[in-house]
Amino acid sequence: MIEFQNVNFRYTESVVEGGLSEINLTISDGQVVLLCGKSGCGKTTLTRLINGLIPNYYGGDLSGAVRLDGKNISELPLYETAKYVGSVFQNPRSQFFTVDSTSELAFGCENQGLPKDEIVHRVENTAKQLDMQELLGKNIFHLSGGEKQKIACASVAASDPSVIVLDEPSSNLDIAATADLRRAIQLWKAQGKTIIIAEHRLYYLKGLLDRVLYMEHGQIIYDWTEHDALSLTNEKQHELGLRPFDLLAFPVSSHPCAECKDILCSKFHFSYTKQAATLKIDSLTLPRSSITAIIGHNGAGKSTFARCLCGLEKQCKGLIRLGEQEYGKRKRLSLCYMVMQDVNHQLFTESTEEELRISMENADAETVDSVLKRLDLEAFKNRHPMALSGGEKQRVAIATALVSGREILVFDEPTSGLDLGHMQEVSQGIRMLSSMGKTVLVITHDYELIVSCCSHVLHLENGTVEEQYQLDSAGIKQLQSFFMEEA
């Protein structure tokens, strides 16, 4: 049993969001509990109190007590808490300790000092239960995002904790990998484990939940049964900033581009060192001044295509033709701008304002302030970007794209980890770019984002073009069929 008794918490260094206020909560053994609410409401903070990262890793003002089976978690060292609580984070790479998958599954068991035969049994049994035997013995850094998340789940499962905490576990997963994640949660539920999930995507959890806790400003506002949560009207879900439990219930508001001029791409071939060809596109036509969703499974070549298009891969010699002008690799660097999936790789300055200014050819305060306001970043104008939450960092990177002035803008999973409200703000920003004549490519697994702003779909698989279509009424049905078949 997990008990919160009069818990209050505030992070150090004047972090405004994410704290908790007067939390009193009991989670019984074997319950599956969803933590939901807008970004900054305190979901992640609550999970960090359960797995001991607060106060052992994240400092702050903590009062009250969090107990696991009577033990005060805040007084236990992390190695002791890890015997009872396993964690799966939004970015699985942040929790890997080895370079090969089998060793990663064994790592937690080895730390517990289990006998070798028991470790081998647990690794093999866990791989079988999660249907991932083919991933054993692989280099983790050669795996797709979905495969890495499977390894993260399996490494936790092999240690056999009684409590499993998941923080935005589906944010970087395609629809098929999300279905695998659901099956893992189903298995843990059947084993009687207590599962706490902080999540914005809700559809894949339908039918698994015992309780749904809605949080706001660090407090638990609603404590619903799953039936109560599913009974919420679409209007109420929207008011609360929740994504729908029924994926296809999300309203479609995309607008096909009837007469788009073409961007011609040719000879986009690429392979990583000592690997088979990752990208094999001889020719491709992209609609100009439109918004194209790039979809496909994890590992389909979507991000590789984007990097090659932007001239970021030296070995790719592809060409882009806009009207009479041709752009080779070097010229494409000044034609395209890419917002990466891991935005930590492209945030460099000491403040959010400076981050926008270095992306502008002629920086001016009025434009900076306007974009910060549009993306709900005004409060962070003078904050260091690396001190922001994952969703806030992502919005800063998107803001830099808005002010860059480039012709082709590429967004790699721009709504990863974002709540409904901020997803819609990103959608509005992307549509604004299109209205300004920019060509926008959006790599995404987010159905709600696609139907909110995209006009076309480019479907890649195995480094080649599987299909292309407009998001007219027939295209919407095609897109829905892809998402539902994979689920």
Side-chain angles (χ1 to χ4, degrees):
M1 179 181 290
I2 301 170
E3 297 174 282
F4 284 73
Q5 297 176 331
N6 301 317
V7 173
N8 294 273
F9 180 77
R10 287 291 177 274
Y11 289 98
T12 53
E13 300 179 5
S14 303
V15 175
V16 177
E17 292 188 322
L20 298 176
S21 177
E22 290 300 318
I23 299 293
N24 288 283
L25 171 67
T26 299
I27 300 174
S28 300
D29 293 343
Q31 285 192 331
V32 180
V33 179
L34 168 66
L35 306 176
C36 60
K38 299 176 182 178
S39 295
C41 69
K43 302 186 301 295
T44 296
T45 302
L46 198 147
T47 66
R48 289 170 177 168
L49 283 164
I50 295 172
N51 62 23
L53 289 179
I54 295 174
N56 289 292
Y57 187 82
Y58 296 97
D61 259 339
L62 173 62
S63 64
V66 184
R67 291 189 169 86
L68 174 61
D69 295 336
K71 303 180 183 71
N72 192 327
I73 297 175
S74 64
E75 296 176 356
L76 296 176
L78 274 176
Y79 66 82
E80 189 68 24
T81 306
K83 295 178 182 178
Y84 310 103
V85 184
S87 299
V88 179
F89 302 115
Q90 179 176 343
N91 182 356
R93 288 176 296 179
S94 66
Q95 66 188 91
F96 290 150
F97 294 92
T98 70
V99 294
D100 77 276
S101 55
T102 304
S103 297
E104 191 62 36
L105 266 65
F107 185 82
C109 302
E110 291 171 340
N111 275 352
Q112 293 180 26
L114 297 177
K116 180 180 178 181
D117 290 346
E118 175 65 15
I119 294 174
V120 171
H121 170 73
R122 288 198 184 189
V123 168
E124 292 176 349
N125 191 51
T126 299
K128 183 178 180 181
Q129 288 179 335
L130 296 179
D131 192 24
M132 49 161 286
Q133 294 99 320
E134 76 283 356
L135 295 182
L136 292 179
K138 297 289 183 69
N139 185 320
I140 288 176
F141 298 100
H142 293 166
L143 301 179
S144 70
E147 289 169 338
K148 287 173 183 171
Q149 192 69 296
K150 270 190 176 182
I151 298 298
C153 288
S155 65
V156 167
S159 297
D160 196 27
S162 58
V163 178
I164 298 178
V165 174
L166 303 103
D167 189 10
E168 299 285 353
S170 75
S171 60
N172 297 316
L173 302 184
D174 66 17
I175 201 78
T178 302
D180 287 339
L181 173 62
R182 174 187 169 86
R183 284 188 283 272
I185 296 171
Q186 234 169 349
L187 172 66
W188 297 332
K189 180 181 175 75
Q191 293 172 343
K193 297 186 184 298
T194 304
I195 306 169
I196 296 95
I197 310 164
E199 183 63 283
H200 289 304
R201 284 185 184 175
L202 306 181
Y203 74 91
Y204 76 96
L205 297 170
K206 186 177 177 180
L208 296 178
L209 303 170
D210 296 299
R211 296 166 70 184
V212 177
L213 305 182
Y214 178 82
M215 300 185 68
E216 193 173 279
H217 303 305
Q219 296 182 313
I220 297 172
I221 305 301
Y222 298 112
D223 186 347
W224 296 306
T225 64
E226 184 182 67
H227 179 269
D228 291 337
L230 294 177
S231 299
L232 295 172
T233 63
N234 291 337
E235 292 75 19
K236 185 63 176 178
Q237 289 183 38
H238 189 274
E239 177 190 327
L240 295 172
L242 296 177
R243 297 197 182 204
F245 282 96
D246 181 357
L247 188 64
L248 300 189
F250 194 85
V252 176
S253 57
S254 58
H255 299 285
C257 176
E259 297 181 2
C260 295
K261 296 181 180 179
D262 292 335
I263 296 174
L264 303 177
C265 307
S266 60
K267 300 179 182 177
F268 276 85
H269 296 175
F270 181 77
S271 61
Y272 292 99
T273 306
K274 297 181 180 179
Q275 293 188 45
T278 306
L279 197 64
K280 301 160 286 187
I281 298 177
D282 291 320
S283 63
L284 171 66
T285 301
L286 295 172
R288 194 172 181 179
S289 303
S290 64
I291 306 168
T292 298
I294 303 179
I295 66 172
H297 292 86
N298 288 115
K302 303 183 297 297
S303 294
T304 301
F305 170 66
R307 289 181 58 80
C308 290
L309 187 77
C310 294
L312 299 176
E313 294 292 353
K314 294 181 180 180
Q315 302 307 313
C316 182
K317 309 297 183 184
L319 288 174
I320 290 179
R321 176 181 287 274
L322 274 74
E324 300 300 316
Q325 183 70 43
E326 277 194 350
Y327 294 84
K329 177 179 67 65
R330 187 181 298 275
K331 285 187 177 181
R332 292 202 303 278
L333 288 169
S334 59
L335 176 73
C336 306
Y337 188 99
M338 183 174 178
V339 176
M340 300 176 186
Q341 183 173 347
D342 187 350
V343 296
N344 292 308
H345 293 157
Q346 61 187 119
L347 298 175
F348 306 106
T349 68
E350 299 296 315
S351 74
T352 298
E353 179 183 20
E354 287 180 55
E355 206 65 54
L356 270 65
R357 284 181 170 276
I358 65 167
S359 300
M360 302 171 69
E361 189 170 339
N362 298 300
D364 69 274
E366 186 177 342
T367 301
V368 169
D369 289 343
S370 173
V371 172
L372 290 175
K373 183 177 181 180
R374 179 180 291 274
L375 289 172
D376 194 20
L377 291 168
E378 288 176 295
F380 310 117
K381 180 177 179 178
N382 298 313
R383 288 271 300 280
H384 197 296
M386 299 310 291
L388 303 179
S389 71
E392 290 158 356
K393 288 177 187 175
Q394 204 148 31
R395 300 204 312 274
V396 171
I398 291 169
T400 64
L402 288 174
V403 301
S404 69
R406 307 291 175 84
E407 172 78 17
I408 299 175
L409 304 177
V410 182
F411 295 89
D412 193 354
E413 292 289 354
T415 55
S416 171
L418 296 189
D419 61 20
L420 176 65
H422 287 126
M423 182 278 286
Q424 291 175 324
E425 287 174 9
V426 170
S427 170
Q428 290 167 5
I430 289 173
R431 292 180 75 158
M432 180 188 71
L433 289 170
S434 178
S435 70
M436 293 165 56
K438 306 296 184 183
T439 300
V440 185
L441 305 178
V442 185
I443 300 169
T444 186
H445 302 303
D446 191 338
Y447 171 83
E448 293 108 321
L449 175 66
I450 296 172
V451 299
S452 293
C453 68
C454 295
S455 58
H456 294 73
V457 169
L458 170 63
H459 181 183
L460 299 182
E461 295 295 349
N462 301 313
T464 63
V465 177
E466 184 82 4
E467 54 188 353
Q468 277 184 281
Y469 50 89
Q470 282 195 57
L471 276 179
D472 51 20
S473 57
I476 291 294
K477 290 180 180 178
Q478 200 168 346
L479 179 71
Q480 291 177 340
S481 176
F482 168 76
F483 273 85
M484 289 301 97
E485 283 176 10
E486 293 302 318

